Amino acid sequence: MTATGTTAEAHLRRMADILDEARHDVSDAVPPQSLLLGLQRLIPCDYACFSELDIPTRIQVNEQETPYDNEGNTGGEDGSMDGYWRWRHQHLQCTWVAGPHSSPDAHQMTDFMSVRELTNLPIYTECLSPFKCIAAVALPTAPNRTRVFQFLREEPKPFTEHEMTTLRMMAPHLYTLYQEAALRRGPRVRLTRRELDVLRCVARGLATRQIAEQLVVSPSTVRKHLENAFAKLGVSSRTAAVARVFPEAEVL
């Protein structure tokens, strides 16, 4: 067997070991907490994170991150996401992540713009600095939501084709692990059957009057069910409620 063949087999074993470790992770996190650390070992980077954002409400529904020793931060000078929301339109990779994804996929920032172009933009100064290269694996999610693994490097050298191929190979398995973890955790708040019916209709994009017609109730009854569900879930928007109860679209 050639040295190249041996190296390839060893890399595939590493990939399989990371997935197996995540499958046996007993943490309550979605995705499993060990997964992000394993991916950072597989794709070396200075900082890795997983996040889910609801774009209309600007709510960060879910977040995980690996330790980052540099005194800089990734959320603007005050640690908030104000810079991200202010300049998000400049982040072409984010635009791609927020688009519809019928299946998981991976890209890096240099697929959309050069490092020089990125570092000349306000979003780099206010939000992304000192990271110059970002690889991302976007997972399917609801419209106007993002669900993404990101791997960030301070070095301006882009991720290699081998590394991006690895992420593309891993992507379907990352999505499966996310789905399994989401289903295991499930909603921690007990809703009535009618409240769940209303939220299922919301998840399908129905307006209040359409939900009322679907369930043969009045619009005021729909609003009351939503109000009760919001209170139990500790949320203030329909999108956040759906994300809380149905973290994975297939549950519907």
Side-chain angles (χ1 to χ4, degrees), residues 54 57 59 61 145 185-189 191 195-196 198-200 202-203 225-248 252:
D54 179 68
T57 61
I59 293 174
V61 180
R145 294 278 301 279
R185 186 176 70 177
R188 300 179 184 178
V189 177
L191 302 178
E195 289 163 356
L196 284 170
V198 170
L199 287 178
R200 286 190 181 96
V202 170
H225 284 314
L226 285 172
E227 180 183 327
N228 291 338
F230 288 179
K232 292 177 182 179
L233 296 168
V235 300
S236 59
S237 73
R238 297 185 179 206
T239 303
V242 169
R244 180 75 169 81
V245 178
F246 306 117
E248 188 42 57
L252 301 176

Side-chain angles (χ1 to χ4, degrees), residues 53 55 84 87-99 101 109 112 123 128 134 136 145-146 148 150:
L53 297 178
I55 297 170
Y84 170 82
W87 301 109
R88 183 178 173 278
H89 62 281
Q90 297 181 341
H91 198 322
L92 301 185
Q93 191 177 32
C94 280
T95 303
W96 165 75
V97 168
H101 296 275
M109 180 68 81
F112 305 93
I123 192 169
L128 299 177
I134 307 171
R145 294 278 301 279
T146 65
V148 61
Q150 294 185 88

